[in-house]
Amino acid sequence: MIHRQMLDVVRLPKSSQITFGGDPMQYWEFMNAFNSYVDHFNVEDSDKLSRLFEYCTGKSFKVGKPCALMNPSEGYKKAKGLLKRRFGNDLAICKAWVPKITEGPPPKPNNCEALQDFADDVRCCIEKVKAMKRLKEVDSQDRMVKILTRLPMYLQARWMKEAYKSRERNGEYPGFDQFVRFLDCVVGEANNPVFGNVGITFKDSKEKRKPTQIKKRGSSFNVEAREGTTSEKDRESKGVAANSKQTSRRVIVMNLRK
């Protein structure tokens, strides 16, 4: 029996594998993992309590720290109870999840990865509140409108069309389940490995166009004016030279006649 307990203690996972910092959205994942990897092992409560303290960090460690002074069995139960009351409250978890999916800027239309992350957050939120039987805390038209505004404009238009058809067909607007199915569908289309890239340009940064060099009209006019002035001066100088030649010829002819 003692040998089995020693083996179980050695088999307990390290703190780097399981940690909990006090985020209510991660409470149930942590507790399910802790119960699977630690609580069901045949070890003393003192070992379980020490591992619980080892896995908790930040706020969660601060909440359970006073239990270290208690009897190990009593302290272990008390620590788990304090963690559940502080971070495992259903309303606190819903309150933490709702802003995550209703607040923030929408992903860019060509950022399919960000759109997939957003859809995963929405589905995770819905599944968790369903498990806690708190779907009514999220399933409202006002909340759906806030989530809808986080989608690109073309997806907003598609959902409004779907909602209008549902209203005409059933006499009421669709609920969250239908919205999640719609979101899974459009995200699957955008991330299709064959046709998902059609019509979408995936570039992290647009190439900057080189500015075209535009000649200033004033400078060109000045050049033309200078060229014109130079040509006129050349003509004048040529004319003067021609006149001087003609004058010299006349003088020679008159002298010959004399």
Side-chain angles (χ1 to χ4, degrees):
M1 185 69 177
I2 298 176
H3 181 68
R4 175 63 183 275
Q5 289 181 352
M6 293 176 62
L7 289 177
D8 287 341
V9 171
V10 173
R11 292 170 57 188
L12 292 177
K14 298 179 180 180
S15 59
S16 59
Q17 297 175 346
I18 307 176
T19 56
F20 179 62
D23 185 358
M25 294 185 292
Q26 304 297 328
Y27 171 78
W28 286 111
E29 285 86 345
F30 168 74
M31 289 307 304
N32 290 336
F34 181 83
N35 291 334
S36 298
Y37 295 136
V38 178
D39 192 66
H40 81 283
F41 278 97
N42 186 22
V43 296
E44 297 291 338
D45 288 340
S46 58
D47 296 324
K48 294 180 181 180
L49 182 61
S50 63
R51 287 304 173 106
L52 183 62
F53 287 150
E54 185 179 351
Y55 301 153
C56 290
T57 60
K59 295 180 181 179
S60 60
F61 178 78
K62 184 178 179 180
V63 170
K65 187 177 180 180
C67 301
L69 302 176
M70 302 179 183
N71 177 273
S73 297
E74 181 183 357
Y76 177 61
K77 294 179 181 179
K78 184 69 173 179
K80 292 183 67 176
L82 290 175
L83 290 175
K84 183 177 181 180
R85 186 175 66 179
R86 177 66 172 81
F87 306 106
N89 183 275
D90 293 347
L91 292 177
I93 295 175
C94 291
K95 187 178 179 181
W97 264 108
V98 170
K100 186 176 179 63
I101 62 175
T102 58
E103 299 176 3
K108 295 181 179 180
N110 61 345
N111 194 341
C112 297
E113 184 177 357
L115 186 62
Q116 181 68 68
D117 292 340
F118 174 69
D120 292 340
D121 288 340
V122 173
R123 174 165 287 282
C124 187
C125 174
I126 298 304
E127 295 300 332
K128 286 189 175 183
V129 295
K130 275 185 177 181
M132 295 183 296
K133 298 180 180 181
R134 293 282 182 176
L135 186 59
K136 63 181 180 179
E137 301 291 337
V138 183
D139 193 1
S140 66
Q141 295 299 325
D142 292 338
R143 292 274 170 76
M144 194 178 299
V145 168
K146 291 181 178 180
I147 298 174
L148 185 63
T149 56
R150 294 199 58 195
L151 293 177
M153 291 298 296
Y154 76 98
L155 293 182
Q156 294 183 27
R158 283 185 60 177
W159 172 250
M160 287 188 287
K161 186 177 181 180
E162 292 288 335
Y164 177 78
K165 289 181 179 180
S166 178
R167 173 81 174 179
E168 291 293 317
R169 183 171 56 252
N170 303 324
E172 59 183 8
Y173 288 110
F176 243 99
D177 288 334
Q178 187 173 346
F179 178 76
V180 173
R181 289 195 296 269
F182 163 80
L183 196 57
D184 289 338
C185 179
V186 295
V187 170
E189 293 175 0
N191 288 276
N192 186 283
V194 179
F195 302 107
N197 296 340
V198 176
I200 301 178
T201 303
F202 291 93
K203 289 186 178 181
D204 296 334
S205 59
K206 295 182 178 180
E207 295 181 359
K208 295 182 178 180
R209 296 181 178 180
K210 294 182 179 180
T212 56
Q213 295 180 355
I214 302 176
K215 295 181 179 180
K216 296 183 179 180
R217 299 184 63 182
S219 61
S220 62
F221 290 158
N222 292 335
V223 172
E224 291 177 359
R226 290 174 184 174
E227 291 178 353
T229 303
T230 305
S231 60
E232 289 177 0
K233 289 181 178 180
D234 293 340
R235 293 193 193 100
E236 290 178 358
S237 60
K238 289 179 180 179
V240 171
N243 292 333
S244 62
K245 287 181 179 180
Q246 291 178 0
T247 303
S248 61
R249 287 176 183 176
R250 288 175 183 176
V251 171
I252 293 170
V253 172
M254 290 175 66
N255 292 332
L256 291 174
R257 287 179 180 177
K258 291 180 178 181

